[in-house]
Amino acid sequence: MHTHEETPPPIAVLDIDGVLADVRHRLHHLEQRPKSWPGFFAAAISDPLLAEGAAVAHRLAQDHEVVYLTGRPERCRQDTLHWLRSHGLPEGALLMRRENDRRPARQAKLAHLRALSVRGTVAILVDDDPDVIDAATAAGLPVMLADWVPRPRVLAKAQEQEGRL
């Protein structure tokens, strides 16, 4: 009797902040001096769901393995998992930034994407950061720019210059 292994589904990688979660209500923590990173991350549990991102996640979950790839630090794992579940988003692994990793988002996320591609086909990355999108495109990965929310300058700076998201 011949058995064959099923081919694993392709992997859909989704960012959280600015793709699924509306972070605009907590940006004031980054606009003050000094910035309040603890306040910014603590408020994430109250992020409204972005309907456009949720629709993309549910569509991709139909025929992809969903992986959430966020620049949020590891210490936010429980709040982030709770947020994903409370909004009925598809099940999926959650990859987060290591504590004290200050690389730009494009570098930190590309390292995760390379590791993921070793175990399966990364079919799409959905992210709101044009620099992450450009890096993934240059690495040969299919991408979707999440442009349903205007991207505030303070968020771009946090992601790419300060390596915080």
Side-chain angles (χ1 to χ4, degrees), residues 17-80:
D17 294 328
V19 174
L20 300 168
D22 188 344
V23 303
R24 290 175 288 185
H25 73 102
R26 54 188 169 112
L27 290 176
H28 65 94
H29 293 288
L30 303 184
E31 292 163 344
Q32 66 191 36
R33 295 282 176 256
K35 290 178 167 77
S36 173
W37 288 104
F40 179 76
F41 288 121
I45 197 73
S46 301
D47 288 352
L49 179 68
L50 292 167
E52 299 90 334
V56 168
H58 287 292
R59 167 59 195 92
L60 289 171
Q62 292 174 14
D63 50 10
H64 293 77
E65 172 191 348
V66 171
V67 173
Y68 299 101
L69 174 57
T70 181
R72 293 179 183 187
E74 188 61 48
R75 69 181 174 275
C76 298
R77 178 171 292 277
Q78 290 312 312
D79 281 353
T80 303

Side-chain angles (χ1 to χ4, degrees), residues 4-16:
H4 65 78
E5 273 187 45
E6 256 187 64
T7 307
I11 303 167
V13 181
L14 292 105
D15 179 29
I16 297 174

Side-chain angles (χ1 to χ4, degrees), residues 50-155:
L50 292 167
E52 299 90 334
V56 168
H58 287 292
R59 167 59 195 92
L60 289 171
Q62 292 174 14
D63 50 10
H64 293 77
E65 172 191 348
V66 171
V67 173
Y68 299 101
L69 174 57
T70 181
R72 293 179 183 187
E74 188 61 48
R75 69 181 174 275
C76 298
R77 178 171 292 277
Q78 290 312 312
D79 281 353
T80 303
L81 288 170
H82 174 78
W83 187 89
L84 291 166
R85 280 192 301 270
S86 71
H87 288 285
L89 289 160
E91 289 291 316
L94 174 60
L95 304 177
M96 305 186 82
R97 187 184 285 273
R98 290 186 324 271
E99 294 298 331
N100 301 314
D101 179 352
R102 297 286 184 264
R103 291 176 295 169
R106 66 185 179 277
Q107 293 174 7
K109 288 186 174 182
L110 201 56
H112 278 297
L113 290 165
R114 285 192 177 113
L116 273 175
S117 65
V118 168
R119 72 167 183 82
T121 301
V122 175
I124 190 162
L125 165 68
V126 183
D127 204 295
D128 67 316
D129 183 337
D131 292 328
V132 171
I133 292 292
D134 289 348
T137 300
L141 297 169
V143 297
M144 172 192 279
L145 177 63
D147 58 1
W148 36 88
V149 174
R151 197 155 174 275
R153 208 176 127 265
V154 67
L155 190 59

